[in-house]
Amino acid sequence: MSSPRPPQRAATVQETKALAHPLRLRILRLCGEYELTNKQLAERLEQDPGTMHYHVRQLVQAELLEPAPVRSGNSGALEKPYRSTERTWQLNNPLAGADEQGQLAPVEAFQDELRAAGPGALREFERFALHLSAEQAAELDLRIHAIINEYLETDHERLDQPLHGGLFALHLLAQEPR
């Protein structure tokens, strides 16, 4: 039996807007693992610092990213890093209200991350097509989330292991004429 999904809520308009951009999704993933400054994010994601500042500001305003404690950098200068609030995991289908391009942002972010990881990074790949009722699709989603949650709850025990990313997307297929 699948364990229940953690309580979730609908995304605010501001959260949806912030999450509907692939670069912002990549920022959140990186800042979920490391506390990074605008400059570090710009370098890692090969972006202009001004562009990075804009996207970080959008995420902070949506409370999806927060300032971490100020620290001294290698040169002794003060650095202002950011970290993910990990609130996205608490949102129920946060891109449902986004336009078509925004709804595809997670797929684009995933593609960008896979390209950045280089050849041989793809560890597993499953592609499928299933006939499911709305209830069956919801049950599949619950079961997948239960498995992911099991691993998330114990992730701190495996910090010495390689970091893996993934994407679970369940979508309707275009209807073929019969």
Side-chain angles (χ1 to χ4, degrees), residues 18-177:
L19 292 170
H21 194 285
L23 182 58
R24 291 185 203 137
L25 295 173
R26 294 188 69 199
I27 292 167
L28 286 174
R29 189 196 57 74
L30 284 171
C31 289
E33 296 301 321
Y34 315 100
E35 293 179 350
L36 298 169
T37 65
N38 277 323
K39 181 181 178 189
Q40 290 169 323
L41 286 164
E43 289 171 357
R44 286 183 188 215
L45 297 172
E46 300 177 347
Q47 296 291 316
D48 176 82
T51 299
M52 190 57 57
H53 178 73
Y54 170 79
H55 289 289
V56 165
R57 191 173 65 231
Q58 296 297 312
L59 291 165
V60 169
Q61 289 173 350
E63 298 180 359
L64 299 171
L65 202 63
E66 65 186 5
V70 174
R71 63 186 184 211
S72 290
N74 293 337
S75 67
L78 293 181
E79 296 181 338
K80 298 176 183 177
Y82 293 90
R83 64 178 165 222
S84 170
T85 62
E86 301 192 12
R87 291 179 57 187
T88 58
W89 199 243
Q90 301 164 358
L91 301 175
N92 181 22
N93 197 10
L95 294 176
D99 62 16
E100 183 177 343
Q101 184 177 347
Q103 288 183 6
L104 294 176
V107 176
E108 189 175 332
F110 178 75
Q111 290 175 324
D112 292 343
E113 289 174 350
L114 199 52
R115 282 186 198 96
L122 187 61
R123 296 288 184 243
E124 297 293 331
F125 175 75
E126 302 295 333
R127 187 151 184 224
F128 56 90
L130 300 170
H131 292 90
L132 300 170
S133 68
E135 294 80 18
Q136 291 167 326
E139 174 62 18
L140 177 60
D141 183 55
L142 281 173
R143 291 174 70 184
I144 296 294
H145 274 84
I147 292 168
I148 293 170
N149 278 331
E150 283 180 37
Y151 280 90
L152 284 172
E153 289 170 4
T154 60
D155 193 56
H156 64 279
E157 298 170 4
R158 296 181 303 279
L159 296 178
D160 61 328
Q161 299 298 314
L163 183 61
H164 289 75
L167 173 72
F168 171 70
L170 186 63
H171 63 92
L172 292 172
L173 290 173
Q175 295 296 313
E176 297 294 324

